[in-house]
Amino acid sequence: MENQAAKRPMVLVVEPDALMLTAMAAVLHSAGFRSFLAKTHDVAVAACKTTSFDLIVASFEENQVLHVAQNVAQLRSYQQNADLPVIFVSSRLDVSWIEPLNKAGGVHCLTRPFEPEKLIELAEQACMFPHLAIARLAPPKAHFAHDWVRLT
């Protein structure tokens, strides 16, 4: 069984632009993160049903703030991804976006274009929030302690 403390953080990257999606994944990979890439919300939903992530990076256009907040809230509705922090990526920032993005789990909002080091810095910060760090360093839950199950 893989040691949870040594497990590299898994990031769900939701970005409709294929070039930007690949670039963000490459940047995260260079810092030791694993990435699942989703060009559409439907792909991200399918991934969240079966995979446990440590962070979501979600890109949006300025006229889609409420839509992306609802989409991310849906991604975080699955039990294994309930308290995921979210880094939102947009072309600009607006103070009116703070409340809906914060309610959706947003911890940072990054404006395009950005330096790769800034994405890495924010991802590392987000993955070290106390409740997430404790969960990642904690021993496996009892039902995962064995790789066998008694059937009788």
Side-chain angles (χ1 to χ4, degrees), residues 3-5 132-141:
N3 181 356
Q4 285 197 358
L132 298 173
I134 289 168
R136 192 168 28 260
L137 297 175
K141 292 185 170 66

Side-chain angles (χ1 to χ4, degrees), residues 103-115:
K103 283 182 180 178
V107 293
H108 298 293
C109 195
L110 190 58
T111 54
R112 289 186 293 257
F114 55 84
E115 294 295 322

Side-chain angles (χ1 to χ4, degrees), residues 109-131:
C109 195
L110 190 58
T111 54
R112 289 186 293 257
F114 55 84
E115 294 295 322
E117 296 80 21
K118 191 63 178 176
L119 176 60
I120 293 168
E121 176 188 340
L122 295 179
E124 288 173 346
Q125 284 177 7
C127 286
M128 285 297 114
F129 287 157
H131 68 288

Side-chain angles (χ1 to χ4, degrees), residues 12-72:
L12 171 61
V13 182
V14 185
E15 165 66 59
D17 181 323
L19 188 58
M20 187 67 163
L21 182 68
T22 305
M24 284 196 281
V27 167
L28 291 168
H29 179 75
S30 73
F33 290 89
R34 297 175 297 151
S35 299
F36 183 96
L37 309 180
K39 275 188 71 174
T40 67
H41 177 68
D42 293 337
V43 171
V45 167
C48 283
K49 288 180 180 178
T50 60
T51 307
S52 178
F53 294 100
D54 297 298
L55 173 66
I56 296 173
V57 176
S59 180
F60 68 97
E61 296 303 322
E62 59 188 80
N63 60 347
Q64 299 176 330
V65 175
L66 295 178
H67 183 68
V68 77
Q70 291 170 345
N71 286 349
V72 167

